[in-house]
Amino acid sequence: MAANEEAFLDEDEGIIELEDEEGNITRFEFVDRAELNGAVYYALIPADYDEEEGASEFVVLKEIITDGEPMLATVDDDAEYNAAGEMFLQRFAELPELDIEDLEKFDGVNE
């Protein structure tokens, strides 16, 4: 994974900034963290979503350890990405108090 596909993880702040391949920085809000098949995944929504309309999509990133520090990285394997996305959709369906409406799809950061 390239360095521009990773981001430092800071759950306390709730906002994660990611840099894409062109050097553009996008801000995301932390939504959920869960483990699947021994790996830890994060669900994030764009930080600039319209609160009245709600967030309509989310991205899935995977936690990796680089130089002893947790980092977030894109998930390159489609099957792995889809499995993690479906896991989050199921978790969201079980949380009626979650203030995110109609999260029906997930989308990659660098598409």
Side-chain angles (χ1 to χ4, degrees):
M1 288 176 210
N4 63 358
E5 296 177 330
E6 300 175 354
F8 285 100
L9 179 62
D10 186 359
E11 279 183 69
D12 296 332
E13 191 172 313
I15 299 290
I16 298 171
E17 292 184 344
L18 301 177
E19 185 175 343
D20 67 15
E21 293 172 351
E22 289 84 39
N24 301 313
I25 295 177
T26 305
R27 294 168 40 91
F28 291 89
E29 287 185 31
F30 171 83
V31 177
D32 196 10
R33 174 184 185 265
E35 185 175 330
L36 178 67
N37 298 327
V40 178
Y41 297 92
Y42 288 75
L44 307 173
I45 59 172
D48 61 355
Y49 75 93
D50 184 339
E51 290 187 28
E52 289 182 18
E53 292 181 23
S56 63
E57 62 186 38
F58 63 101
V59 296
V60 174
L61 297 177
K62 183 177 184 177
E63 182 179 281
I64 61 171
I65 305 298
T66 302
D67 296 328
E69 295 291 324
M71 305 279 284
L72 295 180
T74 56
V75 179
D76 296 328
D77 180 86
D78 288 342
E80 178 184 8
Y81 187 81
N82 290 333
E86 290 298 323
M87 171 192 62
F88 283 118
L89 286 174
Q90 289 177 353
R91 289 174 59 90
F92 298 156
E94 296 169 3
L95 298 172
E97 71 278 1
L98 189 63
D99 188 26
I100 298 174
E101 299 176 12
D102 302 323
L103 272 178
E104 298 175 356
K105 66 179 182 171
F106 49 98
D107 194 15
V109 175
N110 295 321
E111 289 188 1

PDB file of all heavy atoms in Angstrom, residues 3 12 17 21 27 35 43 64 106 109:
ATOM      1  N   ALA A   3       1.991   5.133   0.634  1.00  0.00           N
ATOM      2  CA  ALA A   3       1.869   6.022   1.788  1.00  0.00           C
ATOM      3  C   ALA A   3       0.671   6.944   1.667  1.00  0.00           C
ATOM      4  O   ALA A   3       0.061   7.297   2.663  1.00  0.00           O
ATOM      5  CB  ALA A   3       3.139   6.837   1.951  1.00  0.00           C
ATOM      6  N   ASP A  12      -9.982   9.756  19.114  1.00  0.00           N
ATOM      7  CA  ASP A  12     -10.412  10.727  20.113  1.00  0.00           C
ATOM      8  C   ASP A  12     -10.998  11.973  19.462  1.00  0.00           C
ATOM      9  O   ASP A  12     -11.968  12.537  19.952  1.00  0.00           O
ATOM     10  CB  ASP A  12      -9.238  11.114  21.013  1.00  0.00           C
ATOM     11  CG  ASP A  12      -8.732   9.930  21.820  1.00  0.00           C
ATOM     12  OD1 ASP A  12      -9.542   9.024  22.107  1.00  0.00           O
ATOM     13  OD2 ASP A  12      -7.543   9.913  22.150  1.00  0.00           O
ATOM     14  N   GLU A  17      -8.288  12.683   8.497  1.00  0.00           N
ATOM     15  CA  GLU A  17      -7.969  13.283   7.205  1.00  0.00           C
ATOM     16  C   GLU A  17      -7.188  12.275   6.372  1.00  0.00           C
ATOM     17  O   GLU A  17      -6.190  11.734   6.829  1.00  0.00           O
ATOM     18  CB  GLU A  17      -7.150  14.556   7.389  1.00  0.00           C
ATOM     19  CG  GLU A  17      -7.938  15.669   8.034  1.00  0.00           C
ATOM     20  CD  GLU A  17      -7.161  16.958   8.136  1.00  0.00           C
ATOM     21  OE1 GLU A  17      -5.917  16.942   7.983  1.00  0.00           O
ATOM     22  OE2 GLU A  17      -7.805  17.994   8.379  1.00  0.00           O
ATOM     23  N   GLU A  21      -4.367   9.903  -4.076  1.00  0.00           N
ATOM     24  CA  GLU A  21      -3.183   9.784  -4.930  1.00  0.00           C
ATOM     25  C   GLU A  21      -2.762  11.101  -5.557  1.00  0.00           C
ATOM     26  O   GLU A  21      -1.613  11.277  -5.920  1.00  0.00           O
ATOM     27  CB  GLU A  21      -3.447   8.736  -6.015  1.00  0.00           C
ATOM     28  CG  GLU A  21      -3.587   7.350  -5.451  1.00  0.00           C
ATOM     29  CD  GLU A  21      -4.040   6.332  -6.479  1.00  0.00           C
ATOM     30  OE1 GLU A  21      -4.403   6.725  -7.603  1.00  0.00           O
ATOM     31  OE2 GLU A  21      -4.027   5.146  -6.141  1.00  0.00           O
ATOM     32  N   ARG A  27     -11.686  14.992   4.550  1.00  0.00           N
ATOM     33  CA  ARG A  27     -11.956  14.758   5.967  1.00  0.00           C
ATOM     34  C   ARG A  27     -13.131  13.790   6.114  1.00  0.00           C
ATOM     35  O   ARG A  27     -14.135  13.919   5.427  1.00  0.00           O
ATOM     36  CB  ARG A  27     -12.259  16.074   6.671  1.00  0.00           C
ATOM     37  CG  ARG A  27     -11.051  17.002   6.692  1.00  0.00           C
ATOM     38  CD  ARG A  27     -11.381  18.415   7.127  1.00  0.00           C
ATOM     39  NE  ARG A  27     -12.322  18.544   8.207  1.00  0.00           N
ATOM     40  CZ  ARG A  27     -12.009  18.613   9.511  1.00  0.00           C
ATOM     41  NH1 ARG A  27     -10.756  18.585   9.875  1.00  0.00           N
ATOM     42  NH2 ARG A  27     -12.943  18.733  10.435  1.00  0.00           N
ATOM     43  N   GLU A  35     -14.185  -5.866  14.179  1.00  0.00           N
ATOM     44  CA  GLU A  35     -13.231  -6.890  13.762  1.00  0.00           C
ATOM     45  C   GLU A  35     -13.948  -7.939  12.926  1.00  0.00           C
ATOM     46  O   GLU A  35     -15.081  -8.321  13.220  1.00  0.00           O
ATOM     47  CB  GLU A  35     -12.604  -7.547  14.989  1.00  0.00           C
ATOM     48  CG  GLU A  35     -11.509  -8.526  14.644  1.00  0.00           C
ATOM     49  CD  GLU A  35     -10.808  -9.082  15.865  1.00  0.00           C
ATOM     50  OE1 GLU A  35     -10.727  -8.371  16.880  1.00  0.00           O
ATOM     51  OE2 GLU A  35     -10.340 -10.226  15.786  1.00  0.00           O
ATOM     52  N   ALA A  43     -15.470   2.164   9.649  1.00  0.00           N
ATOM     53  CA  ALA A  43     -16.463   2.763   8.761  1.00  0.00           C
ATOM     54  C   ALA A  43     -16.387   4.274   8.964  1.00  0.00           C
ATOM     55  O   ALA A  43     -16.418   4.754  10.101  1.00  0.00           O
ATOM     56  CB  ALA A  43     -17.863   2.261   9.084  1.00  0.00           C
ATOM     57  N   ILE A  64      -3.854  -1.183   9.922  1.00  0.00           N
ATOM     58  CA  ILE A  64      -2.585  -1.887   9.785  1.00  0.00           C
ATOM     59  C   ILE A  64      -1.611  -1.277  10.788  1.00  0.00           C
ATOM     60  O   ILE A  64      -1.836  -0.168  11.270  1.00  0.00           O
ATOM     61  CB  ILE A  64      -2.011  -1.797   8.349  1.00  0.00           C
ATOM     62  CG1 ILE A  64      -1.739  -0.341   7.961  1.00  0.00           C
ATOM     63  CG2 ILE A  64      -2.949  -2.456   7.347  1.00  0.00           C
ATOM     64  CD1 ILE A  64      -0.965  -0.198   6.656  1.00  0.00           C
ATOM     65  N   PHE A 106     -21.582   1.542   0.483  1.00  0.00           N
ATOM     66  CA  PHE A 106     -20.278   2.007   0.887  1.00  0.00           C
ATOM     67  C   PHE A 106     -19.471   2.220  -0.359  1.00  0.00           C
ATOM     68  O   PHE A 106     -19.718   1.643  -1.407  1.00  0.00           O
ATOM     69  CB  PHE A 106     -19.607   1.043   1.868  1.00  0.00           C
ATOM     70  CG  PHE A 106     -19.618  -0.394   1.430  1.00  0.00           C
ATOM     71  CD1 PHE A 106     -18.523  -0.941   0.811  1.00  0.00           C
ATOM     72  CD2 PHE A 106     -20.728  -1.177   1.644  1.00  0.00           C
ATOM     73  CE1 PHE A 106     -18.537  -2.260   0.407  1.00  0.00           C
ATOM     74  CE2 PHE A 106     -20.739  -2.509   1.239  1.00  0.00           C
ATOM     75  CZ  PHE A 106     -19.650  -3.042   0.628  1.00  0.00           C
ATOM     76  N   VAL A 109     -12.410   5.206  -1.137  1.00  0.00           N
ATOM     77  CA  VAL A 109     -11.828   6.534  -1.015  1.00  0.00           C
ATOM     78  C   VAL A 109     -11.210   6.982  -2.326  1.00  0.00           C
ATOM     79  O   VAL A 109     -11.337   8.119  -2.729  1.00  0.00           O
ATOM     80  CB  VAL A 109     -10.749   6.549   0.093  1.00  0.00           C
ATOM     81  CG1 VAL A 109     -10.061   7.891   0.150  1.00  0.00           C
ATOM     82  CG2 VAL A 109     -11.381   6.227   1.442  1.00  0.00           C
TER      83      VAL A 109
END
